[in-house]
Amino acid sequence: MTTAIKTARRRNPRGRGERLREEILEAATRIVAETGGASQLSLRGVAREVGIAATSVYLHFPDIDQLKAVLVDRGFAELNQARMAAMKGITDPAAALRARWGAYGQFAVDHPGIYRLMFGPHLPAAQAFDSPDSPGRQAFLAAVDAIRHCQEAGMASTDDDPFRLATLVWAAVHGTASLRLDRPNFPWPPLDEMVDDLIQRIIGVPRDGATALDVAMKP
Amino acid sequence: MTTAIKTARRRNPRGRGERLREEILEAATRIVAETGGASQLSLRGVAREVGIAATSVYLHFPDIDQLKAVLVDRGFAELNQARMAAMKGITDPAAALRARWGAYGQFAVDHPGIYRLMFGPHLPAAQAFDSPDSPGRQAFLAAVDAIRHCQEAGMASTDDDPFRLATLVWAAVHGTASLRLDRPNFPWPPLDEMVDDLIQRIIGVPRDGATALDVAMKP
DNA sequence: TGTACATCAGTGAACGCGCGTTCACTGATGTAC
DNA sequence: TGTACATCAGTGAACGCGCGTTCACTGATGTAC
């Protein structure tokens, strides 16, 4: 929490009231990042961080849960961007799969607070895979497709249902990331290495450096 | 939370003051089980659940964190018992490995609140793998040995470091269990099936029904 | 056998704190006439 | 061009609540003499 004295805030000019909404979201993001979770997130705490009266939060959010929901939505958007950036220019399906889940794990480690919020308990149904267009569901289905591409490229066995494989990988990578956050003193191998290893073992996709040809020649 | 009116509590007879300690722990366990986590656990809440004055908790616990620490210790003891019960009489190393992690996953699903407490954030160092005799560390090292047994029995490749394999399995099974708790609407396969599948893929150990001989004959 | 005293197992009032939420208010700035 | 008014972007006091923590107290029961 930032305890430094803030320079007195000036009210936003007429017609720019929405700026405060943005400041509130930024402050909440900061608190979640600094405390490593949302359990400390309070309406009054956010107001304090912004430097406004507690009641001013009501001008933009009916309650703290609505604010959290926006944080989660932004978290998913940021995770999507990070994943797309990591996958950019990669054509090999196996490398793309590794990049995809590597970005996921890295996001969790880089943003523990928001990650816990996104994948922890107490998430409203609309954001937690329930609605067909929930961001998590969209991303998961894209991950299923990514596995299918590996299968179609002959890089993974077609005996397995890609949805099931994606489920296994998600569980494994989520466990890797969240245990790392919650048990920082365990002697973890490097994150990327561990994610790659899990993907290789679960999907059967070749490890870095190998090509589809290597796999085709294996049996 | 139990809101039913309690029959008025009678004070414990002389020399039996320690009984209250037990009642407090039971009440705390109930609250953690019913709320699915420890974030709601408060000194006053526990006292209310027991039916005593808030101050009476201080007779046995200096603060709520010490109480939580005891809950966590008991949780690890219970998990150990459940695992030993599940592995009882099993001689096949691969089946033992499946039983071990199956019991772990089942414990998490059966006791979400205490599991989150045991493997979530904010655990005191003594219980979180830091001290050599922390319960989690003991259990993990036993899991490493279980994998070594599989390797020695020719049921798993000896190319892999068993410590690393145990790390991968722990991450995967933890992810499986905790995502299941936090995303209950996802179409999860049955827990046992998923744990077995992950173990088979990660360790290379034969699935249920297969024997060491099948593996030896495979290549 | 009777009684004073110590110990034990709690209790109850009170404190300050941070929280969410309500309500009426303020003061700058644009706009209609 | 001047002024009344509406709107906008917030504020400040007050409320009741649950929390942890303190302190002195209570009342039953065993024990020493």
Side-chain angles (χ1 to χ4, degrees):
Chain A
M1 218 81 40
T2 310
T3 45
I5 281 106
K6 309 266 168 135
T7 56
R9 216 187 84 94
R10 316 182 57 115
R11 80 162 51 185
N12 283 310
R14 215 153 210 262
R16 291 283 166 207
E18 288 302 303
R19 277 188 193 167
L20 179 54
R21 186 186 148 89
E22 203 52 44
E23 286 183 71
I24 289 169
L25 286 167
E26 283 165 15
T29 303
R30 242 161 19 236
I31 291 170
V32 167
E34 286 171 23
T35 61
S39 55
Q40 315 266 26
L41 199 63
S42 72
L43 191 147
R44 287 187 108 102
V46 171
R48 217 180 298 123
E49 175 77 11
V50 179
I52 53 172
T55 43
S56 302
V57 177
Y58 288 115
L59 297 171
H60 297 284
F61 300 96
D63 58 47
I64 203 78
D65 281 337
Q66 302 277 329
L67 200 162
K68 280 186 193 172
V70 177
L71 290 185
V72 167
D73 275 339
R74 296 197 167 193
F76 275 111
E78 207 184 323
L79 171 53
N80 271 331
Q81 284 190 325
R83 184 174 41 227
M84 278 164 58
M87 294 174 70
K88 192 167 188 176
I90 297 179
T91 52
D92 177 69
L97 201 65
R98 281 192 299 272
R100 164 183 294 273
W101 287 106
Y104 179 101
Q106 196 60 50
F107 177 87
V109 169
D110 290 344
H111 310 283
I114 189 71
Y115 183 81
R116 288 203 185 95
L117 199 56
M118 289 161 67
F119 294 99
H122 313 308
L123 203 63
Q127 295 177 311
F129 206 85
D130 291 36
S131 90
D133 60 339
S134 76
R137 190 175 208 138
Q138 292 295 316
F140 183 81
L141 294 178
V144 175
D145 280 339
I147 290 175
R148 215 190 319 268
H149 291 154
C150 289
Q151 292 176 323
E152 286 164 358
M155 294 174 132
S157 163
T158 49
D159 293 351
D160 299 310
D161 172 24
F163 191 97
R164 164 176 263 262
L165 289 179
T167 304
L168 295 177
V169 171
W170 183 31
V173 178
H174 170 74
T176 295
S178 59
L179 272 184
R180 195 173 291 252
L181 298 180
D182 294 342
R183 269 324 87 91
N185 294 301
F186 186 91
W188 299 109
L191 177 65
D192 263 0
E193 189 188 309
M194 204 168 150
V195 170
D196 286 359
D197 201 356
L198 282 165
I199 290 176
Q200 190 258 317
R201 288 171 189 273
I202 293 171
I203 315 272
V205 114
R207 300 216 55 179
D208 206 3
T211 66
L213 198 60
D214 294 333
V215 179
M217 288 168 67
K218 222 177 189 175
Chain B
M1 217 82 37
T2 311
T3 46
I5 281 102
K6 307 265 170 140
T7 55
R9 217 188 84 93
R10 317 183 55 116
R11 78 164 50 188
N12 284 310
R14 216 150 210 264
R16 292 282 164 206
E18 288 302 303
R19 277 187 193 166
L20 179 54
R21 185 186 148 90
E22 203 52 43
E23 286 183 71
I24 290 169
L25 286 168
E26 283 165 16
T29 303
R30 238 156 27 231
I31 290 170
V32 168
E34 285 170 23
T35 62
S39 56
Q40 315 266 28
L41 199 63
S42 72
L43 192 146
R44 287 186 107 102
V46 171
R48 217 180 297 123
E49 175 77 11
V50 179
I52 53 173
T55 44
S56 302
V57 177
Y58 288 115
L59 298 170
H60 297 283
F61 300 96
D63 57 46
I64 203 78
D65 282 338
Q66 302 277 330
L67 201 162
K68 279 186 194 173
V70 176
L71 290 185
V72 167
D73 276 338
R74 295 196 167 194
F76 275 111
E78 207 184 324
L79 171 54
N80 272 330
Q81 284 188 325
R83 183 173 40 228
M84 279 164 58
M87 295 174 70
K88 190 166 190 179
I90 297 179
T91 51
D92 177 67
L97 201 64
R98 281 192 299 271
R100 166 183 291 274
W101 287 106
Y104 178 101
Q106 195 60 49
F107 176 87
V109 169
D110 289 345
H111 310 284
I114 188 72
Y115 183 81
R116 288 204 186 94
L117 199 56
M118 290 161 67
F119 293 100
H122 314 308
L123 203 64
Q127 295 176 313
F129 206 87
D130 291 37
S131 91
D133 59 339
S134 76
R137 190 174 207 137
Q138 293 294 318
F140 182 81
L141 295 177
V144 175
D145 281 339
I147 289 174
R148 216 189 318 270
H149 291 154
C150 288
Q151 292 176 323
E152 287 164 359
M155 294 176 130
S157 162
T158 50
D159 291 351
D160 299 309
D161 174 23
F163 191 97
R164 166 178 262 263
L165 288 179
T167 304
L168 295 178
V169 171
W170 183 30
V173 178
H174 170 76
T176 295
S178 58
L179 271 184
R180 195 173 291 254
L181 298 180
D182 294 343
R183 266 328 84 92
N185 294 299
F186 186 90
W188 300 109
L191 177 65
D192 262 1
E193 189 188 310
M194 204 167 150
V195 169
D196 286 359
D197 201 357
L198 282 165
I199 290 176
Q200 190 258 315
R201 289 170 189 273
I202 293 172
I203 315 273
V205 115
R207 301 216 55 178
D208 206 3
T211 68
L213 198 61
D214 293 333
V215 178
M217 288 168 68
K218 220 178 190 175

